[in-house]
Amino acid sequence: MDNKICFVIAMQSEAQLLINKLNLTEDNNFAPGLPMRAWFGKLNNSGIIITVNGKDNDTALDLIGTQAATLTTHLAIEYFKPNMIISAGTAGGFSHKGAQIGDVYLSFPRVVFHDHRINIPGWDNMGKGLFNCWDTREMATILNLKTGIVSTGNSLDMLPTDEEYINKLGGEVKEMEAGAVAWVAYLYKIPFFCIKAITDLVDSIHPTSEQFNQNFNLAAGTLTESSISVINFLTRK
Ligand code: ADE
């Protein structure tokens, strides 16, 4: 199969609706001995792969953050050889930049890290990531989705220094995996972008964790719908 699109998703509950809607089948030979899992199927003559990081052995919690995302993406590329990588999931948005709960963003023009601060010339830019994304602008216009810079860090909260860096880097979407997925896609020269649905407004008075839990199902729904629209767009004749 020529066209293979791979969704790299952190949490099972972010992926499950999409797995169900696309009627994908788990590939039990993926990542033997590791927590990562993968499902495969076809839509419009293209292969659709969904990988998740899987659960921590000790706590049975979904593995989240950049280490797990790096390993999952590497394993997915080696095993499935996809020609498009999509980092999909939930994220925080900023009401002062126009975000609303349930909004879906496609990444453009780039993905950055806001918490890899290295104040030495050269390494400063390596720390920021600054990974270019596949051009999602036409697709976003046609599907009526937002575009923005996605900013990755390994914390759910946002310290003042993180906020300063997110603003300096132009971040509109705050999450915990995209930069890692983007880096591995970049190493393998595979086109990459993100689909992120907003569960919380980082600049609201309500704690992020509370908003995340409250709005998770809504955002998982819009994430799934938009992901299907994106697949249909990418595989149209
Ligand atoms: N995932 C969902 N909301 C988030 C936030 N505010 N920061 C990081 N990751 C998130």
Side-chain angles (χ1 to χ4, degrees), residues 27-43:
D27 185 330
N28 292 309
N29 295 318
F30 179 70
L34 294 173
M36 289 76 197
R37 297 173 69 184
W39 288 259
F40 183 84
K42 278 191 208 167
L43 188 70

Side-chain angles (χ1 to χ4, degrees), residues 33 43 52 108 121 123 145 191 200 223:
L43 188 70
V52 301
F108 190 80
W123 277 302
L145 301 173
D200 52 272
L223 175 69

